[in-house]
Amino acid sequence: MSRICEISGKRPMVVNSIIRRGKAKADGGVGKKTTGISKRWQTPNLRKVTVQVGEHSITFKVATTHVHKVYEIVERSKGMNLKGLDAKQVKNKLLSLL
């Protein structure tokens, strides 16, 4: 299962996890020291959003920051002629509205 937002293209990215010890200077210490750096994955917060377009039920996999965009493109598609298209073609037409 893909972890990519269908609208924004957000995808997992590699980031550094930094482990520190000591007391911060602002708190009266001598400063924080880095004791280790390791790589980890940061994944986007994806949700499945299902909308009804015509007679088709279409599911989008989107980041939570872009859920509202799904409803915006559904509103924009109200005047479009989507008769005779299968669900996959309707989804591609909707994504082309962005």
Side-chain angles (χ1 to χ4, degrees):
M1 197 180 222
S2 166
R3 291 188 189 138
I4 300 172
C5 175
E6 293 178 349
I7 293 188
S8 66
K10 282 188 179 184
R11 56 180 48 232
M13 57 190 269
V14 176
V15 295
N16 285 331
S17 177
I18 302 173
I19 293 98
R20 293 187 173 97
R21 65 183 293 260
K23 193 173 185 182
K25 285 185 181 181
D27 295 335
V30 293
K32 294 275 219 176
K33 274 76 173 178
T34 301
T35 59
I37 298 175
S38 58
K39 293 196 178 288
R40 70 180 191 89
W41 285 97
Q42 245 181 12
T43 57
N45 190 7
L46 296 179
R47 294 289 178 262
K48 286 184 180 175
V49 179
T50 304
V51 291
Q52 191 72 27
V53 179
E55 66 267 1
H56 299 291
S57 182
I58 298 171
T59 302
F60 291 92
K61 200 169 182 184
V62 295
T64 53
T65 55
H66 292 89
V67 170
H68 69 280
K69 292 269 190 194
V70 174
Y71 297 108
E72 284 179 16
I73 62 174
V74 170
E75 283 298 316
R76 275 193 237 156
S77 71
K78 295 276 175 149
M80 291 176 66
N81 184 14
L82 301 173
K83 301 280 186 212
L85 300 176
D86 66 342
K88 197 170 189 179
Q89 291 172 328
V90 171
K91 186 174 182 176
N92 287 336
K93 279 251 198 201
L94 291 178
L95 289 174
S96 70
L97 290 175
L98 289 175

